[in-house]
Amino acid sequence: MKIGLYFGSFNPIHTGHCIVAHQMAYQTDLQQVWLVVSPQNPFKPSNGLLNEYHRLHLAKLAIQGIDRLRATDIEFHLPRPSYTIDTLIYLEEKFSQHEFSIVMGSDGLQNLHKWKNAETLVQRTSFYVYPRPGFPISTVLKANITAVNAPLLDISATFIRDQIKAGNDIHYLVPEPVREEIEKNGYYR
């Protein structure tokens, strides 16, 4: 099976994440997209992160009922911070029957050369890249890139967290089950 790995903090998962994952799963040759909830991104500070198991639960709520999407805690059991190359190698060994690719935005692609063992990563896998405004799809590394047009929403998890802290409503910014869970538990206040 051909699987796209969509890495992220998902702090919280929002409608934009869901649209991208869905487009990748249903408009490309990927047969599934796994949302890999990262406990600690090496490029972002860990303070302000909701507990990883809560973020995983929110991701599962967001994609429930969508056959080709799956949220996974695979990085919870690997050394921290999480590095894509380490996760990829682990998954290739554990699920050798599958072929893995990476799903990412063109903004992240700009920094690919800064990732741990970037050249090895580029040799091992392909990339499904969706455009982000102001970030052309290009890389200094010779990566196998499939550009995928996906509807993009100019929202971010930071914006959503700020809205929650300000006491503002987040309807339509996140899937409804996610909004209900955030409100019920008082997350991000």
Side-chain angles (χ1 to χ4, degrees), residues 26 60 63-67:
Y26 288 93
K60 287 181 177 181
I63 62 170
Q64 65 188 357
I66 311 296
D67 292 341

Side-chain angles (χ1 to χ4, degrees), residues 150-164:
L152 299 178
L153 301 178
D154 192 16
I155 59 173
S156 69
T158 302
F159 175 79
I160 293 166
R161 291 192 306 271
D162 290 345
Q163 293 300 300
I164 293 168

Side-chain angles (χ1 to χ4, degrees), residues 6 38 56 64 68 79 83 91 101 123 129 134 157 159-160 166 186:
Y6 187 12
S38 300
L56 176 66
Q64 65 188 357
R68 291 184 170 189
Y83 293 101
L91 287 170
S101 298
Q123 292 169 3
V129 180
F159 175 79
I160 293 166

Side-chain angles (χ1 to χ4, degrees), residues 7-27:
F7 293 87
S9 300
F10 303 110
N11 189 39
I13 190 166
H14 56 68
T15 305
H17 294 131
C18 296
I19 289 172
V20 166
H22 192 274
Q23 282 291 115
M24 294 294 175
Y26 288 93
Q27 303 301 323

Side-chain angles (χ1 to χ4, degrees), residues 67-187:
D67 292 341
R68 291 184 170 189
L69 302 182
R70 173 180 163 195
T72 178
D73 66 353
I74 201 79
E75 287 193 338
F76 295 11
H77 313 290
L78 298 174
R80 296 179 193 195
S82 307
Y83 293 101
T84 302
I85 187 67
D86 298 335
T87 305
L88 179 66
I89 290 169
Y90 176 81
L91 287 170
E92 287 174 343
E93 290 172 0
K94 183 171 173 131
F95 301 104
S96 59
Q97 73 275 26
H98 297 313
E99 177 186 339
F100 294 99
S101 298
I102 295 172
V103 171
M104 65 188 311
S106 59
D107 52 340
L109 189 63
Q110 303 285 315
N111 295 315
L112 185 60
H113 65 282
K114 297 178 184 174
W115 292 17
K116 178 183 176 185
N117 298 338
E119 299 218 1
T120 303
L121 184 64
V122 165
Q123 292 169 3
R124 287 185 86 107
T125 193
S126 60
F127 296 81
Y128 286 73
V129 180
Y130 55 94
R132 298 289 307 248
F135 297 95
I137 296 178
S138 64
T139 178
V140 296
L141 302 171
K142 291 188 183 203
N144 178 0
I145 296 171
T146 300
V148 179
N149 285 323
L152 299 178
L153 301 178
D154 192 16
I155 59 173
S156 69
T158 302
F159 175 79
I160 293 166
R161 291 192 306 271
D162 290 345
Q163 293 300 300
I164 293 168
K165 285 179 191 157
N168 295 331
D169 184 62
I170 59 167
H171 271 93
Y172 308 113
L173 295 173
V174 298
E176 187 59 16
V178 172
R179 186 193 65 76
E180 290 171 358
E181 191 74 6
I182 288 171
E183 286 186 3
K184 180 176 89 177
N185 292 293
Y187 295 153

